Amino acid sequence: MFNKPEILAGSFNYLTATVLEEIQRNLGCLYSTAEGTCPGDRRFGLDQSFESYPLNVAQNLFALEVIEKTEEYESRAEILDISFSCTEDGNMTPVVTIGLKDAEEDGNWEDE
């Protein structure tokens, strides 16, 4: 069984947030949304069908989905690593490590 990826808790300050904080917030929303549940964009979110596959296949399908959706919805971020932490009762929690893409590659966005 998969648990949802851990998302940064707390309030988000739009005036003082760094680019990295903004990206983390955006990806947290993307990763915690099931695909097909956002009325404005039915592709937004992660396809949940990986949950019905054997563990090793499910991990690969999840990783592929995260990489593809991150490229599509948050082009400023790049996936550095995807690992899984397991508990004794068989639950798994994905751990997604992100980095910032070079600003010159993607349109010179600025960190305010």
Side-chain angles (χ1 to χ4, degrees):
M1 175 173 194
F2 277 86
N3 292 323
K4 290 187 178 185
E6 292 184 18
I7 301 170
L8 297 176
S11 63
F12 182 78
N13 188 332
Y14 289 92
L15 299 176
T16 61
T18 65
V19 170
L20 183 58
E21 290 171 335
E22 182 181 324
I23 289 171
Q24 288 174 321
R25 180 179 178 273
N26 293 348
L27 291 177
C29 181
L30 175 66
Y31 299 161
S32 64
T33 302
E35 184 181 60
T37 61
C38 183
D41 182 358
R42 295 292 182 186
R43 281 206 20 88
F44 185 83
L46 298 183
D47 180 3
Q48 304 296 305
S49 64
F50 60 85
E51 292 182 344
S52 62
Y53 287 91
L55 190 58
N56 58 340
V57 175
Q59 289 175 339
N60 288 329
L61 290 173
F62 174 84
L64 182 61
E65 181 75 0
V66 165
I67 291 167
E68 289 176 350
K69 292 296 177 83
T70 300
E71 289 175 0
E72 182 177 349
Y73 288 99
E74 187 52 88
S75 62
R76 300 173 293 176
E78 65 179 328
I79 302 297
L80 301 177
D81 185 50
I82 300 175
S83 60
F84 299 87
S85 63
C86 301
T87 60
E88 291 179 12
D89 62 358
N91 286 323
M92 298 188 66
T93 301
V95 179
V96 180
T97 305
I98 63 166
L100 295 174
K101 282 187 180 175
D102 187 13
E104 294 174 6
E105 289 178 15
D106 275 349
N108 287 331
W109 43 268
E110 294 181 18
D111 187 357
E112 299 176 356

